[in-house]
Amino acid sequence: MTRTLAQRINSLSPSTTLAITAKAKEMKDSGIDVIGLGAGEPDYNTPNNIIEAAYQSMKDGQTKYTPAGGLPALKDAVIDKLKTDQGLQYARNEIIIGIGAKHVLYTLFQVMINPNDEVIIPSPYWVSYPEQVKLAGGFPVHIEGTAATDFKVTAEQIRQVITPKTKAIIINSPGNPTGMIYSARELEEIAAICKEYDLWIISDEIYEKLIYGNEKHVSIAQLNEDAKQRTFIINGVSKSHSMTGWRIGYLAGDAKVVRAMTDLASHSTSNPTTTSQYAAIEAYSGSQETVTSMREDFESRLIRIYPQLKAIPGFEVLKPQGAFYLLPDVSEACEKTGFKNVDDFAQALLTKANVAVIPGSSFGSPNTIRLSYATSIELLEEAVRRIHKFVEDNWQA
């Protein structure tokens, strides 16, 4: 017997986001004044009412197994949330609770994808989409959203890459790493293409509560009944309620698929953490005051930091409409400062300017870097000042 790893693991690309975040932490722990703009999580603690609900559930003895697909009470809270926010009606058998939105998505791909099925993934994309498709035996098909289209893809682009093997498309709105939002009209055109070719739609709406200005979140599932029937909504409490570590996400969609996911969960995870589920019930059914104040604070930071970032030589940046990321194109700055690629530029920002950012190659956008503004405005302004100085000091006329 040969002691080798499974071949499917060899296809994975390591997470640059986690790697740079870990390196920044290592430098910080050694006493270096590093400002991290890489992490994809709010810089707030979980609201007290949620913490208290979790604590009370433990005191009440709620520390045992739950159903594999999640507590009925939490499913009901999700159902109420979807009805209130999107006007969508779901039954319990159309909801599954999982260990964070990421694992819910992973489980969906495991029950949906057959070998060589194709999944359309617009770029820039969240780093785990293509890796999870590959782990399920599928093939990620990338189409590029450019700055000219606010990093969004069009229905015509989708049509051009559809083949008999195409199974699904992923829509992420508001997007990571772009912060851009698909309008109702854009989604209608995409939904029409998916109906024409009978495709599943995977709608990642994890940043739904972080939207700025006069923009509104529209779920593709709320457009019409056909769109709803072919859409899987992925969401959770991580970003909206600053509960990344609690690991609770959900899927809403086709009951047969939910049943298959639940069966898989029964053999893989047993159930989402019981205490976290009770915390999530409070997150959805309790006060939403912190959700609102957090959104307002993120918007205030964006308003302050955006013009400062845009003023850096060689930086081209669109103002995002949601989430908490900025994705400047730094190709000119990279060239003028003597770096052969953006990955090397980002590495130099970390080691020379003590600012941690994520190179866009991780997101299928090799000319960009991602900066998270989920940190204090003081640190944000200091980080941008350091980046600006680094670029000017190294600029080669």
Side-chain angles (χ1 to χ4, degrees), residues 18-30 32 34-37 350 355-357:
L18 294 181
I20 288 189
T21 300
K23 176 63 176 176
K25 185 179 186 303
E26 179 185 327
M27 292 173 64
K28 198 167 186 176
D29 289 345
S30 68
I32 300 173
V34 173
I35 300 176
L37 303 182
L350 177 58
V355 178
V357 300

Short mmCIF file of all heavy atoms in Angstrom, two decimals, residues 18-30 32 34-37 350 355-357:
data_model
loop_
_atom_site.label_atom_id
_atom_site.label_comp_id
_atom_site.label_asym_id
_atom_site.label_seq_id
_atom_site.Cartn_x
_atom_site.Cartn_y
_atom_site.Cartn_z
N LEU A 18 -5.49 33.57 4.62
CA LEU A 18 -5.09 33.05 5.93
C LEU A 18 -3.58 33.11 6.11
O LEU A 18 -3.08 33.38 7.20
CB LEU A 18 -5.60 31.62 6.10
CG LEU A 18 -7.12 31.45 6.16
CD1 LEU A 18 -7.49 29.99 6.35
CD2 LEU A 18 -7.72 32.29 7.28
N ALA A 19 -2.82 32.87 5.04
CA ALA A 19 -1.37 32.87 5.12
C ALA A 19 -0.83 34.25 5.48
O ALA A 19 0.04 34.39 6.35
CB ALA A 19 -0.76 32.39 3.81
N ILE A 20 -1.35 35.28 4.80
CA ILE A 20 -0.87 36.64 5.08
C ILE A 20 -1.34 37.11 6.44
O ILE A 20 -0.59 37.76 7.19
CB ILE A 20 -1.33 37.61 3.97
CG1 ILE A 20 -0.53 37.32 2.69
CG2 ILE A 20 -1.20 39.06 4.40
CD1 ILE A 20 -0.71 38.31 1.58
N THR A 21 -2.56 36.75 6.81
CA THR A 21 -3.05 37.11 8.14
C THR A 21 -2.18 36.47 9.23
O THR A 21 -1.85 37.10 10.24
CB THR A 21 -4.52 36.67 8.31
OG1 THR A 21 -5.32 37.32 7.31
CG2 THR A 21 -5.05 37.05 9.68
N ALA A 22 -1.79 35.20 9.00
CA ALA A 22 -0.93 34.51 9.96
C ALA A 22 0.45 35.15 10.04
O ALA A 22 1.02 35.30 11.13
CB ALA A 22 -0.82 33.04 9.57
N LYS A 23 1.01 35.53 8.88
CA LYS A 23 2.32 36.19 8.86
C LYS A 23 2.26 37.53 9.57
O LYS A 23 3.18 37.87 10.34
CB LYS A 23 2.76 36.38 7.41
CG LYS A 23 4.08 37.14 7.25
CD LYS A 23 5.26 36.39 7.87
CE LYS A 23 6.57 37.13 7.60
NZ LYS A 23 7.72 36.47 8.27
N ALA A 24 1.19 38.28 9.34
CA ALA A 24 1.04 39.57 10.01
C ALA A 24 0.95 39.39 11.53
O ALA A 24 1.54 40.16 12.29
CB ALA A 24 -0.20 40.29 9.48
N LYS A 25 0.24 38.36 11.96
CA LYS A 25 0.12 38.09 13.39
C LYS A 25 1.47 37.70 13.98
O LYS A 25 1.83 38.13 15.09
CB LYS A 25 -0.90 36.97 13.64
CG LYS A 25 -1.16 36.70 15.12
CD LYS A 25 -2.20 35.61 15.31
CE LYS A 25 -2.55 35.44 16.79
NZ LYS A 25 -1.37 35.15 17.63
N GLU A 26 2.22 36.90 13.24
CA GLU A 26 3.56 36.50 13.70
C GLU A 26 4.46 37.71 13.88
O GLU A 26 5.17 37.83 14.88
CB GLU A 26 4.16 35.53 12.67
CG GLU A 26 5.56 35.06 13.01
CD GLU A 26 6.15 34.20 11.91
OE1 GLU A 26 5.41 33.47 11.24
OE2 GLU A 26 7.38 34.28 11.71
N MET A 27 4.42 38.64 12.92
CA MET A 27 5.22 39.85 13.03
C MET A 27 4.76 40.70 14.21
O MET A 27 5.59 41.24 14.95
CB MET A 27 5.11 40.65 11.72
CG MET A 27 5.78 39.99 10.53
SD MET A 27 5.45 40.86 8.96
CE MET A 27 6.26 42.45 9.27
N LYS A 28 3.45 40.80 14.37
CA LYS A 28 2.91 41.61 15.46
C LYS A 28 3.29 41.02 16.82
O LYS A 28 3.65 41.74 17.76
CB LYS A 28 1.39 41.72 15.33
CG LYS A 28 0.76 42.86 16.12
CD LYS A 28 -0.67 43.09 15.68
CE LYS A 28 -1.25 44.31 16.37
NZ LYS A 28 -2.62 44.64 15.91
N ASP A 29 3.22 39.69 16.92
CA ASP A 29 3.57 39.02 18.17
C ASP A 29 5.05 39.20 18.52
O ASP A 29 5.43 39.13 19.69
CB ASP A 29 3.25 37.53 18.08
CG ASP A 29 1.75 37.25 18.10
OD1 ASP A 29 0.99 38.17 18.46
OD2 ASP A 29 1.35 36.12 17.76
N SER A 30 5.87 39.45 17.50
CA SER A 30 7.30 39.65 17.74
C SER A 30 7.63 41.12 18.04
O SER A 30 8.80 41.48 18.18
CB SER A 30 8.12 39.18 16.53
OG SER A 30 7.88 40.02 15.40
N ILE A 32 6.54 43.90 16.15
CA ILE A 32 6.50 44.80 15.01
C ILE A 32 5.10 45.43 14.91
O ILE A 32 4.09 44.76 15.07
CB ILE A 32 6.84 44.05 13.70
CG1 ILE A 32 8.24 43.44 13.80
CG2 ILE A 32 6.74 44.97 12.49
CD1 ILE A 32 8.60 42.54 12.63
N VAL A 34 2.49 46.12 13.09
CA VAL A 34 1.82 45.77 11.84
C VAL A 34 0.34 46.15 11.92
O VAL A 34 -0.32 45.91 12.93
CB VAL A 34 1.95 44.26 11.55
CG1 VAL A 34 1.09 43.86 10.34
CG2 VAL A 34 3.39 43.89 11.30
N ILE A 35 -0.16 46.74 10.84
CA ILE A 35 -1.59 47.01 10.72
C ILE A 35 -2.17 46.02 9.73
O ILE A 35 -1.76 45.98 8.57
CB ILE A 35 -1.87 48.46 10.24
CG1 ILE A 35 -1.26 49.46 11.23
CG2 ILE A 35 -3.38 48.69 10.10
CD1 ILE A 35 -1.40 50.91 10.78
N GLY A 36 -3.09 45.20 10.18
CA GLY A 36 -3.67 44.16 9.34
C GLY A 36 -4.95 44.62 8.67
O GLY A 36 -5.92 44.97 9.35
N LEU A 37 -4.94 44.64 7.35
CA LEU A 37 -6.14 44.97 6.58
C LEU A 37 -6.59 43.77 5.76
O LEU A 37 -7.19 43.91 4.70
CB LEU A 37 -5.87 46.16 5.65
CG LEU A 37 -5.39 47.46 6.31
CD1 LEU A 37 -5.23 48.56 5.27
CD2 LEU A 37 -6.35 47.91 7.41
N LEU A 350 3.89 44.45 3.41
CA LEU A 350 3.90 43.81 4.73
C LEU A 350 5.26 43.96 5.41
O LEU A 350 5.34 44.35 6.57
CB LEU A 350 3.52 42.35 4.61
CG LEU A 350 3.54 41.51 5.90
CD1 LEU A 350 2.61 42.12 6.96
CD2 LEU A 350 3.15 40.07 5.61
N VAL A 355 2.12 46.85 6.63
CA VAL A 355 0.69 46.84 6.36
C VAL A 355 0.36 45.54 5.63
O VAL A 355 0.96 45.23 4.60
CB VAL A 355 0.24 48.04 5.50
CG1 VAL A 355 -1.27 47.95 5.22
CG2 VAL A 355 0.58 49.35 6.19
N ALA A 356 -0.59 44.80 6.18
CA ALA A 356 -0.98 43.52 5.59
C ALA A 356 -2.22 43.69 4.73
O ALA A 356 -3.27 44.13 5.22
CB ALA A 356 -1.25 42.48 6.68
N VAL A 357 -2.07 43.40 3.43
CA VAL A 357 -3.20 43.39 2.49
C VAL A 357 -3.17 42.05 1.77
O VAL A 357 -2.20 41.32 1.84
CB VAL A 357 -3.10 44.55 1.48
CG1 VAL A 357 -3.10 45.90 2.19
CG2 VAL A 357 -1.86 44.41 0.60
#
